[in-house]
Amino acid sequence: MLMLPEIIVVVTAMAVLVADLFLTERLRMGVTWLSLAGLAVAAGAVFATPMNGSMFGGQFVVDAVGWWFKLFFVISGFFTVLLSMDLLHGRTTCRMRGIGSPGEYYTVLLFTISGMMYLVSARDMVLLYVSLELATIPLFALAAWRREDIRSGEAGLKYVIVGALASAFILYGLGLIYGLTGQISLDAARVLKGSPAFWFAAAMLTAGIGFKLTLVPFHLWAADVFEGAPMPITAYLSVASKGTGLAFMFQLFFRMMGGWVHDWALMIALFAAVTMTLGNCVAIVQHNIKRFMAFSAISHAGVFIMGFLGPHDYGVPAMLFYLLAYIASTLALFAGIVWYSNETGRETIRDYRGLSRTNPLMALAMMLALFSLAGIPPLSGFVGKFFLFSVAAGAGFHWLVGIAAVNSTIALYNYLRIVREMYIEPVHEDGPAAPASWSLSITTAVLTTALVLLGIIPFFYNAINGSTIAWLSAVLPH
Amino acid sequence: MGLLSWLIAVPFITTLAVIFTPASQWKAVRWISAVGTGIQLALTALLTYRYWIAAAPDTTATMVAKLTKLYFVERIPWFESLGIQYFVGVDGISVSMIILTSIIIFTGTLASWNVESRTKEFFALLLLLVTGVFGVFVSFDLFLFFMFYELAVLPMYLLIGIWGTGPKEYSAMKLTLMLLVGSAFVLVGLFAMYHVSGLHTFDLQALAGASFSKDFQTWVFPLIFVGFGVLGALYPFHTWSPDGHSSAPTAVSMLHAGVLMKLGGYGALRIGVYLLPEGAKAWGLFFMGLTTINILYGSLGAVMQKDLKYFTAYSSVSHCGFVLFGVATLTVMGLKGAVLQMFSHGIMTGLFFGLIGMVYGRTHTRLIPDMGGLAKVMPWLATSFYIAGLASLGLPGLAGFVAETHVFLGGFFGNPWSNPTATGVLTILATMSIVVTAVYVLRGLATVFQGPITVAEYETLTDATLPEKIATGMLIATLVFVGVVPQYFITLIEASVMPMINRLSMGS
């Protein structure tokens, strides 16, 4: 049963919604357990599905790349639930007003995960578009979840408007392609000749992807939405919107316009250069940790798309591996940020001063995550970045490698600002934060271990690499 | 696990042991570090012995043949599809650098005996840094090399930022960022070689077999040389060095100036000159010119300094200039001299910075004009200081002389690919720095140690303690040993620079 993981996620979402109606306040935790269990079973189901197969006459297909994406989505969903539970059930020192309704929250979260999972399996335009909206629309609601906070409402509204604009671009592009081929199948577009209409459609689709993946100049929504959303949703956005954007880009660039990726390479390289440079440079002046993370996420988008440039047998596994490393590092860092915000309500970078003295383990974990994001060896972020840079170099974009490597230095400066507050500055005068709850401790421990080991043990990369070779020969004509 | 893996593992295991020691047991932390680095020293001695035996001479000819190849090689596939492997080995250059590092880290640990604030974190970071350094010196896979290289640079930020003095945060950030911009250049070069070679391997020896075109080498070589040159304090990218060294705590200055800056010269030699000989020929004269500025500018800068650490830092810029100058001469003598200079400067500057820390710990000032007559109360430290100073101005009988002579001879006689007049003139200019060095070393030391005691409180100061005596004694013994019987080291190094020379002369 190929669709089993998706079905499990959707059924869990329904079950959470219904259970929420019947559970008393005392047993409200049940919805959390249910969501966690559902996502864990879904992860198992993803493992159990084969890496190739199709349903509904080829409209729903599981392949190696889709398989990995689904696994990443379910895992990030699982950890997001762990990050959210303290806040939703009011078990934090610093109560955030207006946040609650855990049942509905988890339902909405699970729906966006299911949308992301359908997205990677879709093989026709309609299913692709519908699942993209299923992945995005619940996020609008989640961004606006802090009902009494005006910034959260602003985030939601901004996200809706920009999301609608992105959808318009995508629909225009898809519509043009449909007009050219007369078919809704994604693969049909690959035989198209390079007509003006085709290139116009490609430009529209690139812009749409740009919004989802926060490529400059389509990144403007990110900082405000990240800042307004509740902290766990900020975490989820920074991994999920990246993952969805990347999956969507895989679908369009490899599957739909597979024959044309090479002609698009220079533009991708320019996007990558501008995106990472602007993201890193603007992050220098950010003080709020959420806005800081938004620009960090933007700059990483630039790093990700370097994988589309070069020899695809390197590019595809490199992008998937870096996504895995990025998810582990970002969520590990956010576990620390969520914990600190939960216990103290502090959200600026200056507020992290002296953390290494008061909570040495949490500070260590956050430092490792920051260094991994900055690409410092031997952490997984370094290995992933190294592979992606290598892809760009393989395509002859040596100037881009230079820009990217210099950008890594700027990024390191940014991340060192936080490390400096934690390790060098004196302790915060308002006193230390309470120790982390078990859920955040587990999340931090597991993800920090993962971000260290992923880069050292070659198993994970080899597994991704081994399974995508067949995918490439099937998808890309050589 | 082979000998070389242990050489990487021992400092790392010591790091872990330090991390898992409770913070309240900070005195135990010092002992753990001392034992760990002591074991490392013993392992190094074993390595040197076994290397010498393995490459034992019958006749000179077989000696050269034997020393040219790598010993104690371990290869384990890692990211196989990308041609990345765990590939370690040593040749004569690596062995001499490993000896240097072991001595410096052991004495550095002893010199840090009085670090009492956040001791555990200090030693953990110091040992992590040195793990990276050992890793670089044994790696023969470029991925592995680069990984260890960055691992060696980064802990420096926290070491200077937390335990430093003066404008420590500024210096730490400047140092880290400048060095990483340097490694960004290197990275571009590495990827270019990886892809253009068409071999899809990061194996250094395999890449040496690739035929890179002259044009390609001409644009990649400066990237590699400048990239590593930043760490080797190449003018005009040396500006991190005086600030960084003067802000850093004692052991960190020792390790940084003594060992870490040598990674720059080592990388430029091992990767730049070895893999890209045609590029080296095209750029050799240019970099000789740049490093001549290094040598002169550094020594003139040192004349003007009032702070002992800035004084030594500028002197390091000058002396590290000799290393890169030697590399840029592209002659047997020059390359040998470069490696010898890496070794002797490492020991010498380690001794300098160690002594400055010891003096500062007593007088609580590093300003040269504020001190005077200290030789009367601390004869051991004063004598050691003078020996270090004499070594740095190239007194025969100490290590510095041997190294600098090689470098100058190599530069003066020139190579077939550069204008002989130009190399000769540059060498003569560089030689002038010895006079300047004599001026600042003798004048500075005379002010600090000779004459009457200027401040009454200095009357009660004590001489070196036992750990300090062991540390300085070891370093001085090494300086004298290399200065008096340099032939062991020269043999060790000579054969290992031959492959580079062979590649250089092959193309012409």
Side-chain angles (χ1 to χ4, degrees):
Chain A
M1 183 62 187
L2 285 174
M3 213 192 272
L4 193 61
E6 284 87 347
I7 291 175
I8 292 172
V9 173
V10 173
V11 168
T12 314
M14 304 287 192
V16 168
L17 191 62
V18 175
D20 190 40
L21 296 175
F22 296 101
L23 287 174
T24 58
E25 205 51 46
R26 210 163 50 81
L27 295 173
R28 188 72 69 196
M29 263 321 256
V31 291
T32 308
W33 300 122
L34 196 56
S35 315
L36 285 176
L39 285 167
V41 174
V46 174
F47 259 113
T49 43
M51 280 199 191
N52 54 60
S54 70
M55 285 171 76
F56 303 128
Q59 288 183 349
F60 182 95
V61 176
V62 180
D63 55 20
V65 167
W67 191 91
W68 284 106
F69 267 119
K70 283 181 193 180
L71 194 62
F72 297 163
F73 292 152
V74 175
I75 290 172
S76 23
F78 184 84
F79 284 112
T80 308
V81 173
L82 279 176
L83 292 184
S84 314
M85 54 190 283
D86 292 335
L87 194 61
L88 287 173
H89 295 282
R91 300 194 307 180
T92 58
T93 313
C94 183
R95 293 285 170 84
M96 189 172 285
R97 275 153 40 98
I99 199 155
S101 332
E104 290 153 36
Y105 177 97
Y106 292 135
T107 308
V108 175
L109 184 67
L110 287 163
F111 273 126
T112 134
I113 296 168
S114 73
M116 289 155 67
M117 293 166 77
Y118 277 113
L119 177 79
V120 288
S121 279
R123 285 297 176 272
D124 74 49
M125 292 179 192
V126 179
L127 184 56
L128 181 73
Y129 180 73
V130 170
S131 48
L132 181 69
E133 292 297 301
L134 179 58
T136 320
I137 291 174
L139 283 176
F140 303 155
L142 287 172
W145 208 261
R146 283 154 65 180
R147 280 190 300 271
E148 292 176 20
D149 189 331
I150 192 160
R151 282 181 306 164
S152 191
E154 183 196 331
L157 187 61
K158 212 165 234 175
Y159 204 4
V160 170
I161 293 171
V162 174
L165 186 63
S167 296
F169 275 111
I170 291 164
L171 276 181
Y172 200 164
L174 289 178
L176 281 168
I177 299 275
Y178 175 70
L180 289 169
T181 60
Q183 292 178 47
I184 56 167
S185 159
L186 288 185
D187 293 315
R190 298 175 52 183
V191 295
L192 287 175
K193 299 274 185 297
S195 62
F198 173 80
W199 288 116
F200 188 58
M204 288 291 139
L205 291 172
T206 310
I209 293 168
F211 280 111
K212 300 291 170 203
L213 205 53
T214 64
L215 299 180
V216 176
F218 310 109
H219 67 287
L220 290 165
W221 58 274
D224 291 332
V225 174
F226 273 52
E227 188 187 5
M231 196 64 91
I233 292 306
T234 311
Y236 184 71
L237 274 174
S238 53
V239 294
S241 72
K242 213 74 15 184
T244 318
L246 203 62
F248 192 56
M249 199 164 168
F250 264 75
Q251 292 280 33
L252 293 181
F253 274 46
F254 282 144
R255 207 159 272 294
M256 202 160 169
M257 306 186 287
W260 297 98
V261 185
H262 285 297
D263 304 279
W264 226 225
L266 180 62
M267 213 184 69
I268 297 175
L270 290 174
F271 267 123
V274 174
T275 303
M276 63 179 109
T277 310
L278 188 119
N280 280 321
C281 290
V282 178
I284 294 176
V285 293
Q286 300 302 323
H287 297 294
N288 182 296
I289 190 99
K290 284 168 146 181
R291 293 187 78 86
F292 176 85
M293 288 310 291
F295 285 102
S296 153
I298 290 171
S299 70
H300 276 96
V303 177
F304 272 115
I305 60 170
M306 286 169 81
F308 283 97
L309 296 171
H312 298 303
D313 44 348
Y314 293 126
V316 172
M319 279 190 278
L320 287 174
F321 179 75
Y322 192 55
L323 183 61
L324 183 60
Y326 175 80
I327 289 174
S329 313
T330 309
L331 288 180
L333 179 59
F334 265 108
I337 296 175
V338 167
W339 156 73
Y340 202 59
S341 136
N342 278 353
E343 302 304 330
T344 62
R346 301 174 195 153
E347 285 185 4
T348 68
I349 291 177
R350 278 288 292 146
D351 285 333
Y352 284 83
R353 56 184 180 274
L355 196 67
S356 73
R357 246 69 60 77
T358 54
N359 300 77
L361 281 178
M362 217 56 181
L364 179 68
M366 285 176 75
M367 181 170 74
L368 286 175
L370 286 165
F371 281 163
S372 177
L373 286 176
I376 297 300
L379 306 169
S380 55
F382 165 76
V383 180
K385 257 188 194 175
F386 192 91
F387 293 167
L388 280 173
F389 289 6
S390 170
V391 174
F397 289 98
H398 297 295
W399 58 269
L400 182 61
V401 178
I403 290 178
V406 171
N407 260 295
S408 291
T409 314
I410 307 176
L412 179 67
Y413 169 79
N414 290 329
Y415 297 125
L416 278 181
R417 282 171 59 207
I418 303 179
V419 173
R420 180 190 134 171
E421 296 297 341
M422 293 195 300
Y423 277 83
I424 300 180
E425 298 295 318
V427 178
H428 198 292
E429 54 280 0
D430 293 350
S437 66
W438 64 264
S439 56
L440 289 177
S441 307
I442 289 178
T443 312
T444 314
V446 170
L447 291 172
T448 312
T449 316
L451 76 89
V452 173
L453 291 184
L454 281 174
I456 297 173
I457 299 174
F459 170 78
F460 301 95
Y461 178 78
N462 288 344
I464 292 174
N465 184 52
S467 60
T468 48
I469 284 176
W471 182 84
L472 274 161
S473 55
V475 170
L476 288 180
H478 279 290
Chain B
M1 230 162 83
L3 189 55
L4 296 181
S5 296
W6 277 111
L7 217 52
I8 301 171
V10 167
F12 187 67
I13 293 169
T14 319
T15 313
L16 292 181
V18 167
I19 289 175
F20 288 109
T21 312
S24 56
Q25 300 291 318
W26 59 273
K27 285 186 176 162
V29 164
R30 301 188 305 202
W31 280 106
I32 293 172
S33 316
V35 169
T37 50
I39 294 173
Q40 188 75 350
L41 202 57
L43 269 181
T44 306
L46 180 67
L47 172 77
T48 316
Y49 173 73
R50 282 186 48 190
Y51 181 78
W52 201 257
I53 295 297
D58 293 323
T59 67
T60 324
T62 55
M63 178 78 183
V64 169
K66 279 182 169 176
L67 284 183
T68 325
K69 64 178 237 213
L70 293 181
Y71 284 87
F72 312 119
V73 171
E74 290 168 54
R75 282 173 193 267
I76 302 167
W78 193 3
F79 294 103
E80 243 177 324
S81 53
L82 296 169
I84 293 172
Q85 50 182 339
Y86 174 83
F87 173 19
V88 293
V90 284
D91 65 0
I93 302 175
S94 316
V95 171
S96 53
M97 289 297 108
I98 289 166
I99 298 172
L100 167 70
T101 314
S102 296
I103 294 177
I104 295 288
I105 183 62
F106 182 68
T107 51
T109 309
L110 295 182
S112 320
W113 214 247
N114 51 5
V115 172
E116 290 179 6
S117 121
R118 301 165 86 179
T119 314
K120 173 178 145 174
E121 287 150 291
F122 180 83
F123 280 104
L125 285 167
L126 199 64
L127 290 162
L128 186 65
L129 188 155
V130 94
T131 310
V133 176
F134 279 111
V136 170
F137 288 138
V138 298
S139 298
F140 279 81
D141 180 275
L142 295 182
F143 178 85
L144 195 66
F145 185 99
F146 193 77
M147 189 151 174
F148 281 126
Y149 182 80
E150 293 222 323
L151 186 65
V153 170
L154 207 78
M156 205 50 96
Y157 175 77
L158 289 173
L159 282 168
I160 297 177
I162 298 178
W163 293 274
T165 51
K168 53 185 184 171
E169 286 160 29
Y170 165 78
S171 308
M173 192 61 99
K174 185 174 179 181
L175 178 145
T176 315
L177 294 185
M178 285 192 73
L179 296 188
L180 285 182
V181 170
S183 67
F185 287 134
V186 173
L187 199 59
V188 177
L190 292 193
F191 284 133
M193 286 192 277
Y194 173 77
H195 286 289
V196 172
S197 72
L199 300 173
H200 293 290
T201 176
F202 283 101
D203 180 333
L204 189 85
Q205 288 189 314
L207 281 175
S211 51
F212 296 117
S213 72
K214 195 168 170 12
D215 287 344
F216 174 79
Q217 298 197 21
T218 310
W219 76 261
V220 176
F221 181 78
L223 285 177
I224 300 277
F225 195 91
V226 171
F228 284 119
V230 176
L231 186 49
L234 176 70
Y235 179 87
F237 308 106
H238 66 282
T239 54
W240 58 268
S241 152
D243 287 326
H245 287 148
S246 55
S247 296
T250 304
V252 177
S253 300
M254 286 174 73
L255 207 63
H256 199 280
V259 180
L260 217 60
M261 284 172 85
K262 308 301 172 290
L263 296 186
Y266 181 82
L269 187 65
R270 177 77 78 203
I271 296 178
V273 176
Y274 183 54
L275 289 184
L276 305 162
E278 294 299 320
K281 286 180 205 170
W283 287 87
L285 191 60
F286 174 79
F287 284 120
M288 266 179 89
L290 218 51
T291 47
T292 307
I293 301 178
N294 236 57
I295 294 169
L296 290 173
Y297 175 86
S299 56
L300 288 172
V303 174
M304 301 306 295
Q305 300 306 320
K306 299 270 178 278
D307 181 316
L308 268 179
K309 272 200 163 177
Y310 269 104
F311 168 89
T312 315
Y314 273 101
S315 137
S316 277
V317 171
S318 167
H319 283 104
C320 282
F322 284 124
V323 174
L324 294 175
F325 184 89
V327 173
T329 59
L330 306 179
T331 54
V332 186
M333 277 298 224
L335 296 190
K336 263 188 328 193
V339 179
L340 273 170
Q341 175 73 359
M342 287 195 236
F343 187 86
S344 67
H345 174 254
I347 299 289
M348 183 170 84
T349 206
L351 183 57
F352 253 134
F353 278 114
L355 287 166
I356 292 170
M358 294 169 199
V359 171
Y360 177 74
R362 292 171 169 78
T363 61
H364 302 291
T365 178
R366 292 194 316 242
L367 292 179
I368 298 172
D370 290 358
M371 293 183 267
L374 292 180
K376 295 189 179 60
V377 287
M378 40 182 93
W380 178 286
L381 293 180
T383 314
S384 312
F385 236 121
Y386 270 97
I387 293 172
L390 293 174
S392 89
L393 61 80
L395 188 79
L398 295 169
F401 171 74
V402 185
E404 287 175 18
T405 314
H406 274 86
V407 171
F408 289 139
L409 287 178
F412 191 74
F413 292 116
N415 57 49
W417 314 288
S418 313
N419 183 338
T421 322
T423 52
V425 169
L426 288 173
T427 311
I428 291 170
L429 282 173
T431 320
M432 305 245 188
S433 76
I434 293 192
V435 183
V436 187
T437 310
V439 172
Y440 69 77
V441 166
L442 296 177
R443 208 182 60 175
L445 293 186
T447 315
V448 173
F449 292 107
Q450 304 298 316
I453 291 182
T454 48
V455 182
E457 294 145 32
Y458 292 170
E459 301 273 4
T460 54
L461 295 181
T462 51
D463 202 8
T465 60
L466 186 62
E468 291 172 344
K469 280 186 178 165
I470 297 174
T472 48
M474 264 181 74
L475 293 170
I476 292 170
T478 318
L479 277 183
V480 174
F481 177 76
V482 178
V484 176
V485 272
Q487 58 266 38
Y488 291 113
F489 263 92
I490 293 175
T491 325
L492 199 64
I493 293 160
E494 182 166 29
S496 298
V497 304
M498 283 320 285
M500 294 164 197
I501 296 295
N502 287 340
R503 283 174 60 81
L504 281 165
S505 46
M506 230 161 27
S508 62

